[in-house]
Amino acid sequence: MNLTKHFTLEELTHTSHRQFDNTPNEAETANLQRLAEFLEQVKTVLDGKPIMVSSSFRSKAVNDSVGSRDSSQHRVGAACDFRVPSMTPDTVVRAIIAAGLPFDQLIREFSDPVTGGGWTHISVTNTPDGTPRRQALIIDKAGTRPFA
């Protein structure tokens, strides 16, 4: 089912942990719709480059299996981890910040700005009426800190 021109419900609920049900409820699906619409804006900022989603919605069972916290925005369908071919996560984060998009969280995860690798995490607010925090972070082996 297409949520937007470039993003499907299947893509945003795909998991390699197929032994667990990863079907979102109505509220989670509504969040995925908002997230897909936001990802269209991200795609535009990135000059139409492909956004390769590695993880978005996670049911409790899937989330537990990957060792994530229950408070993860992935649990409510408000977050997405992705890569963009030919762009480092550092470059992606800088472009999104520069564009002034209303993200809730934007995280460069386990990436080195020189050697690449890693991925970008982005989220919208957990509810449609929430105010985006515009929190930009780095998470890697050294811990969590503000993106600079």
Side-chain angles (χ1 to χ4, degrees):
M1 170 181 142
N2 282 358
L3 296 172
T4 63
K5 181 177 179 182
H6 297 103
F7 299 96
T8 66
L9 181 62
E10 293 76 18
E11 176 179 25
L12 297 181
T13 59
H14 174 78
T15 179
S16 59
H17 299 272
R18 293 186 178 103
Q19 69 271 33
F20 302 116
D21 181 24
N22 202 44
T23 305
N25 65 29
E26 189 175 322
E28 294 158 348
T29 301
N31 279 345
L32 288 168
Q33 178 70 48
R34 287 188 311 109
L35 179 63
E37 291 166 4
F38 186 70
L39 289 172
E40 291 289 353
Q41 294 177 52
V42 171
K43 187 173 180 67
T44 298
V45 164
L46 301 177
D47 296 324
K49 289 182 173 68
I51 292 177
M52 311 301 290
V53 175
S54 56
S55 180
S56 189
F57 173 73
R58 296 184 198 142
S59 66
K60 177 158 178 46
V62 170
N63 201 58
D64 289 351
S65 74
V66 299
S68 189
R69 298 180 189 156
D70 278 339
S71 60
S72 168
Q73 289 182 288
H74 289 276
R75 284 282 299 112
V76 296
C80 177
D81 296 337
F82 67 96
R83 291 184 177 94
V84 178
S86 79
M87 293 182 79
T88 66
D90 192 71
T91 305
V92 170
V93 169
R94 290 187 188 286
I96 293 168
I97 291 170
L101 292 181
F103 58 85
D104 191 55
Q105 282 192 318
L106 181 61
I107 307 172
R108 188 189 84 199
E109 293 198 52
F110 299 97
S111 172
D112 180 283
V114 177
T115 61
W119 62 90
T120 304
H121 167 100
I122 198 162
S123 67
V124 295
T125 58
N126 288 2
T127 60
D129 58 348
T131 301
R133 294 177 287 175
R134 287 190 47 87
Q135 185 179 50
L137 302 168
I138 295 171
I139 296 176
D140 58 19
K141 292 178 187 174
T144 302
R145 61 196 177 279
F147 184 89

